[in-house]
Short mmCIF file of all heavy atoms in Angstrom, two decimals:
data_model
loop_
_atom_site.label_atom_id
_atom_site.label_comp_id
_atom_site.label_asym_id
_atom_site.label_seq_id
_atom_site.Cartn_x
_atom_site.Cartn_y
_atom_site.Cartn_z
N GLY D 155 -9.53 6.20 18.85
CA GLY D 155 -8.25 6.82 18.63
C GLY D 155 -7.12 5.80 18.50
O GLY D 155 -6.20 5.92 17.70
N GLN D 156 -7.24 4.75 19.32
CA GLN D 156 -6.24 3.68 19.24
C GLN D 156 -6.24 2.95 17.93
O GLN D 156 -5.17 2.60 17.40
CB GLN D 156 -6.46 2.68 20.39
CG GLN D 156 -5.34 1.65 20.52
CD GLN D 156 -4.00 2.25 20.81
OE1 GLN D 156 -3.86 2.98 21.80
NE2 GLN D 156 -3.01 2.00 19.96
N ILE D 157 -7.42 2.76 17.35
CA ILE D 157 -7.51 2.15 16.02
C ILE D 157 -6.79 3.01 15.02
O ILE D 157 -6.08 2.52 14.15
CB ILE D 157 -9.00 1.91 15.63
CG1 ILE D 157 -9.61 0.78 16.48
CG2 ILE D 157 -9.11 1.55 14.14
CD1 ILE D 157 -9.09 -0.60 16.15
N CYS D 158 -7.01 4.33 15.07
CA CYS D 158 -6.36 5.23 14.13
C CYS D 158 -4.83 5.15 14.29
O CYS D 158 -4.08 5.13 13.31
CB CYS D 158 -6.84 6.66 14.37
SG CYS D 158 -8.57 6.95 13.94
N ILE D 159 -4.39 5.12 15.53
CA ILE D 159 -2.93 5.02 15.77
C ILE D 159 -2.39 3.72 15.27
O ILE D 159 -1.34 3.66 14.62
CB ILE D 159 -2.68 5.16 17.31
CG1 ILE D 159 -2.96 6.58 17.78
CG2 ILE D 159 -1.22 4.79 17.63
CD1 ILE D 159 -2.93 6.76 19.28
N ASN D 160 -3.15 2.62 15.49
CA ASN D 160 -2.71 1.30 15.02
C ASN D 160 -2.61 1.30 13.50
O ASN D 160 -1.67 0.70 12.94
CB ASN D 160 -3.70 0.23 15.45
CG ASN D 160 -3.60 -0.10 16.93
OD1 ASN D 160 -2.71 0.38 17.61
ND2 ASN D 160 -4.54 -0.87 17.43
N LEU D 161 -3.52 1.94 12.81
CA LEU D 161 -3.47 1.99 11.34
C LEU D 161 -2.23 2.77 10.89
O LEU D 161 -1.53 2.33 9.97
CB LEU D 161 -4.73 2.64 10.78
CG LEU D 161 -4.84 2.74 9.28
CD1 LEU D 161 -4.73 1.35 8.63
CD2 LEU D 161 -6.17 3.41 8.86
N LEU D 162 -1.95 3.89 11.54
CA LEU D 162 -0.79 4.69 11.18
C LEU D 162 0.52 3.90 11.43
O LEU D 162 1.46 3.90 10.63
CB LEU D 162 -0.74 5.99 11.97
CG LEU D 162 -1.81 7.04 11.60
CD1 LEU D 162 -1.79 8.20 12.54
CD2 LEU D 162 -1.56 7.53 10.16
N LEU D 163 0.60 3.20 12.55
CA LEU D 163 1.75 2.39 12.87
C LEU D 163 1.91 1.24 11.88
O LEU D 163 3.04 0.95 11.46
CB LEU D 163 1.64 1.83 14.28
CG LEU D 163 1.79 2.84 15.43
CD1 LEU D 163 1.45 2.17 16.78
CD2 LEU D 163 3.16 3.43 15.47
N ALA D 164 0.83 0.63 11.48
CA ALA D 164 0.91 -0.48 10.52
C ALA D 164 1.40 0.00 9.15
O ALA D 164 2.21 -0.64 8.52
CB ALA D 164 -0.49 -1.15 10.34
N ARG D 165 0.93 1.19 8.74
CA ARG D 165 1.40 1.74 7.47
C ARG D 165 2.86 2.19 7.53
O ARG D 165 3.63 2.02 6.59
CB ARG D 165 0.48 2.88 7.04
CG ARG D 165 -0.93 2.45 6.70
CD ARG D 165 -1.68 3.48 5.91
NE ARG D 165 -3.02 3.03 5.58
CZ ARG D 165 -3.35 2.25 4.57
NH1 ARG D 165 -2.33 1.75 3.80
NH2 ARG D 165 -4.58 1.90 4.31
N SER D 166 3.27 2.71 8.69
CA SER D 166 4.66 3.09 8.87
C SER D 166 5.57 1.87 8.82
O SER D 166 6.64 1.91 8.23
CB SER D 166 4.86 3.83 10.20
OG SER D 166 4.09 5.02 10.19
N GLU D 167 5.12 0.80 9.44
CA GLU D 167 5.86 -0.46 9.43
C GLU D 167 5.98 -1.00 7.98
O GLU D 167 7.05 -1.51 7.61
CB GLU D 167 5.22 -1.48 10.31
CG GLU D 167 6.00 -2.78 10.49
CD GLU D 167 5.37 -3.73 11.48
OE1 GLU D 167 4.40 -3.33 12.17
OE2 GLU D 167 5.80 -4.88 11.56
N ASP D 168 4.92 -0.82 7.23
CA ASP D 168 4.97 -1.29 5.83
C ASP D 168 6.01 -0.53 5.02
O ASP D 168 6.74 -1.11 4.22
CB ASP D 168 3.57 -1.12 5.22
CG ASP D 168 3.50 -1.64 3.82
OD1 ASP D 168 3.66 -2.90 3.65
OD2 ASP D 168 3.27 -0.89 2.89
N VAL D 169 6.06 0.81 5.25
CA VAL D 169 7.10 1.62 4.56
C VAL D 169 8.50 1.17 4.93
O VAL D 169 9.40 1.04 4.09
CB VAL D 169 6.89 3.09 4.89
CG1 VAL D 169 8.02 3.95 4.32
CG2 VAL D 169 5.56 3.58 4.27
N MET D 170 8.71 0.88 6.23
CA MET D 170 10.01 0.45 6.71
C MET D 170 10.37 -0.90 6.11
O MET D 170 11.51 -1.11 5.69
CB MET D 170 9.99 0.34 8.23
CG MET D 170 11.35 -0.07 8.84
SD MET D 170 11.23 -0.26 10.60
CE MET D 170 10.75 1.43 11.13
N GLU D 171 9.42 -1.84 6.01
CA GLU D 171 9.66 -3.14 5.45
C GLU D 171 10.03 -3.05 3.99
O GLU D 171 10.90 -3.75 3.48
CB GLU D 171 8.45 -4.05 5.70
CG GLU D 171 8.23 -4.45 7.14
CD GLU D 171 6.98 -5.25 7.32
OE1 GLU D 171 6.20 -5.43 6.34
OE2 GLU D 171 6.74 -5.70 8.43
N ALA D 172 9.38 -2.15 3.28
CA ALA D 172 9.67 -1.95 1.85
C ALA D 172 11.13 -1.45 1.70
O ALA D 172 11.85 -1.90 0.81
CB ALA D 172 8.71 -0.98 1.21
N ALA D 173 11.51 -0.52 2.57
CA ALA D 173 12.90 0.03 2.51
C ALA D 173 13.92 -1.08 2.84
O ALA D 173 14.98 -1.17 2.21
CB ALA D 173 13.00 1.19 3.46
N LEU D 174 13.62 -1.88 3.83
CA LEU D 174 14.56 -2.95 4.22
C LEU D 174 14.68 -3.98 3.11
O LEU D 174 15.78 -4.49 2.87
CB LEU D 174 14.03 -3.62 5.51
CG LEU D 174 14.13 -2.78 6.80
CD1 LEU D 174 13.43 -3.49 7.94
CD2 LEU D 174 15.57 -2.50 7.14
N LEU D 175 13.55 -4.28 2.50
CA LEU D 175 13.63 -5.26 1.37
C LEU D 175 14.44 -4.69 0.24
O LEU D 175 15.26 -5.40 -0.36
CB LEU D 175 12.18 -5.56 0.89
CG LEU D 175 12.04 -6.58 -0.26
CD1 LEU D 175 12.56 -7.96 0.19
CD2 LEU D 175 10.63 -6.68 -0.71
N HIS D 176 14.22 -3.42 -0.13
CA HIS D 176 14.98 -2.80 -1.20
C HIS D 176 16.48 -2.79 -0.87
O HIS D 176 17.29 -2.90 -1.78
CB HIS D 176 14.46 -1.36 -1.42
CG HIS D 176 15.16 -0.64 -2.54
ND1 HIS D 176 14.92 -0.93 -3.86
CD2 HIS D 176 16.05 0.37 -2.52
CE1 HIS D 176 15.68 -0.13 -4.63
NE2 HIS D 176 16.37 0.64 -3.84
N GLY D 177 16.78 -2.61 0.36
CA GLY D 177 18.18 -2.57 0.80
C GLY D 177 18.80 -3.93 1.04
O GLY D 177 19.98 -4.01 1.45
N GLY D 178 18.04 -4.97 0.81
CA GLY D 178 18.55 -6.32 0.99
C GLY D 178 18.66 -6.79 2.45
O GLY D 178 19.33 -7.77 2.75
N LEU D 179 18.00 -6.07 3.33
CA LEU D 179 18.07 -6.41 4.76
C LEU D 179 16.86 -7.18 5.26
O LEU D 179 16.83 -7.59 6.40
CB LEU D 179 18.20 -5.07 5.57
CG LEU D 179 19.42 -4.26 5.27
CD1 LEU D 179 19.40 -2.93 6.04
CD2 LEU D 179 20.69 -4.99 5.57
N LEU D 180 15.88 -7.36 4.43
CA LEU D 180 14.67 -8.13 4.76
C LEU D 180 14.68 -9.40 3.88
O LEU D 180 14.53 -9.30 2.67
CB LEU D 180 13.42 -7.33 4.57
CG LEU D 180 12.12 -7.98 5.03
CD1 LEU D 180 12.05 -8.19 6.53
CD2 LEU D 180 10.89 -7.15 4.59
N LYS D 181 14.84 -10.57 4.47
CA LYS D 181 14.89 -11.82 3.75
C LYS D 181 13.53 -12.45 3.65
O LYS D 181 12.82 -12.63 4.69
CB LYS D 181 15.90 -12.75 4.39
CG LYS D 181 17.32 -12.17 4.52
CD LYS D 181 17.89 -11.75 3.20
CE LYS D 181 19.31 -11.19 3.36
NZ LYS D 181 19.86 -10.72 2.05
#
């Protein structure tokens, strides 16, 4: 179950990083 949670968290973080990059907030 923890592996599944880790995968969901990693994908959520990826979506956030994409949004930050698009918004110019991720260098």
Side-chain angles (χ1 to χ4, degrees):
Q156 187 62 55
I157 290 288
C158 293
I159 292 171
N160 287 352
L161 181 58
L162 289 173
L163 289 173
R165 293 196 178 279
S166 297
E167 186 175 350
D168 185 63
V169 172
M170 182 183 301
E171 289 175 356
L174 290 172
L175 181 64
H176 182 73
L179 300 176
L180 185 65
K181 304 301 181 183

